Amino acid sequence: KVGDQLELITEQSDVASKEMSLEKALDKMLNEWKPIDFDCMEYRDSGTYILRALDDIQSLFDDHIVKTQAMRSSPFVKPFEQRVKDWEEKLISMQEIIDEWLKCQAVWLYLEPIFSSEDIMRQMPQEAKRFIQVDRLWRKTMAATEQKPNVLMATATEGMLDSWKNANHLLELIQQGLNDYLEKKRLSFARLFFLSNDELLQILSETKDPLRVQPHLKKCFEGIAQLTFTDQMIIVGMESVEGEKVKFSTTLDPSTANGMVEKW
């Protein structure tokens, strides 16, 4: 009789209800991600894009990973345990991809203006080659993401995590090479130690223009505000902050140094 089985029926009904509640929560999480898009912004005149405003996406990751892990430990998850496990792996994979992506973006933003200089590319051929490799991946990925910005789709490309990890490894090698390069320049002319990396790179990024040194002379030489150049870019003297001018006994032609600022 039904009456005799009432307790069992009630128990099974309760189990089924809790299972359905968990499955609905899982469906709800998936549906919350479906409309989420990356916000791609044009980066200056570089012809590519960067990601911005990712706080909401990061918050959603934190919330959903906690919920999914709690779901996996529930005794009522058995009928769709594999689905929950797959969803947890998907969330963790997406988060890892975006973390590596943003790590790459931060370094790419720093290096892109540096390696847009022909002088730097020429002086650091190995690092330039590596940067071009990363830059191609960046532009290709961002072009595709701008066209189809959905987070679920944009992070579903096979091998994407490995691609970003490899790009970040190359960027680490580039930064190491860049630091070594700047160190050599400073060791050749010790007063360059008074300049920051960015200031020194401003000079080295356009060696054909000796006037690039003018804004930084005060840091290198306490008494010199600027050098006196002729129209032919020959250095004939120096000037102090107070306007005092001292003419050199011999002139100096920076072009004879073949772009090696530390020499002249």
Side-chain angles (χ1 to χ4, degrees), residues 23 31 44 87 89 105 108 161 170 212-213 238 262:
E23 196 163 18
N31 288 329
R44 297 179 183 172
W87 175 241
E89 288 176 356
Q105 173 167 296
W108 181 88
L161 180 58
L170 289 174
R212 287 274 182 140
V213 305
M238 59 184 178
E262 68 277 13

Side-chain angles (χ1 to χ4, degrees), residues 97-109:
I97 287 170
I98 291 174
D99 286 347
E100 292 291 332
W101 197 335
L102 290 178
K103 183 180 174 183
C104 181
Q105 173 167 296
V107 183
W108 181 88
L109 284 171

Side-chain angles (χ1 to χ4, degrees), residues 43-169:
Y43 177 62
R44 297 179 183 172
D45 57 352
S46 64
T48 187
Y49 302 84
I50 58 173
L51 299 178
R52 65 176 179 179
L54 291 173
D55 289 348
D56 290 345
I57 290 175
Q58 297 288 12
S59 296
L60 204 57
F61 274 130
D62 295 340
D63 181 39
H64 283 190
I65 287 174
V66 170
K67 284 180 179 177
T68 305
Q69 288 173 341
M71 199 177 283
R72 280 195 66 191
S73 63
S74 170
F76 305 104
V77 78
K78 285 290 180 187
F80 46 94
E81 187 172 17
Q82 187 58 47
R83 190 178 164 213
V84 173
K85 186 179 178 183
D86 291 343
W87 175 241
E88 183 184 23
E89 288 176 356
K90 172 67 174 172
L91 283 173
I92 292 171
S93 172
M94 285 198 298
Q95 189 169 47
E96 286 179 344
I97 287 170
I98 291 174
D99 286 347
E100 292 291 332
W101 197 335
L102 290 178
K103 183 180 174 183
C104 181
Q105 173 167 296
V107 183
W108 181 88
L109 284 171
Y110 172 67
L111 293 177
E112 194 274 336
I114 296 171
F115 284 94
S116 62
S117 161
E118 288 184 12
D119 279 358
I120 296 291
M121 297 280 274
R122 177 176 49 79
Q123 294 171 67
M124 303 181 65
Q126 183 65 35
E127 285 72 20
K129 185 178 177 182
R130 287 169 175 158
F131 182 78
I132 289 169
Q133 191 176 337
V134 175
D135 190 60
R136 281 176 184 158
L137 171 68
W138 182 263
R139 291 174 184 275
K140 180 182 176 183
T141 305
M142 290 309 301
T145 304
E146 198 275 333
Q147 289 294 315
K148 295 180 179 178
N150 182 263
V151 173
L152 288 174
M153 289 177 61
T155 56
T157 306
E158 191 172 347
M160 195 175 201
L161 180 58
D162 288 338
S163 293
W164 286 128
K165 283 183 175 179
N166 181 58
N168 284 324
H169 174 64

Side-chain angles (χ1 to χ4, degrees), residues 175-214:
Q175 285 184 294
Q176 184 181 332
L178 186 62
N179 288 333
D180 291 345
Y181 168 72
L182 295 178
E183 187 74 7
K184 285 178 184 176
K185 293 291 182 183
R186 290 181 171 119
L187 289 172
S188 296
F189 183 61
R191 286 185 181 270
L192 294 178
F193 278 105
F194 292 120
L195 300 180
S196 69
N197 283 359
D198 288 346
E199 289 168 335
L200 184 49
L201 283 166
Q202 283 178 27
I203 296 171
L204 299 172
S205 65
E206 191 57 76
T207 57
K208 294 185 186 70
D209 182 7
L211 293 176
R212 287 274 182 140
V213 305
Q214 295 282 45

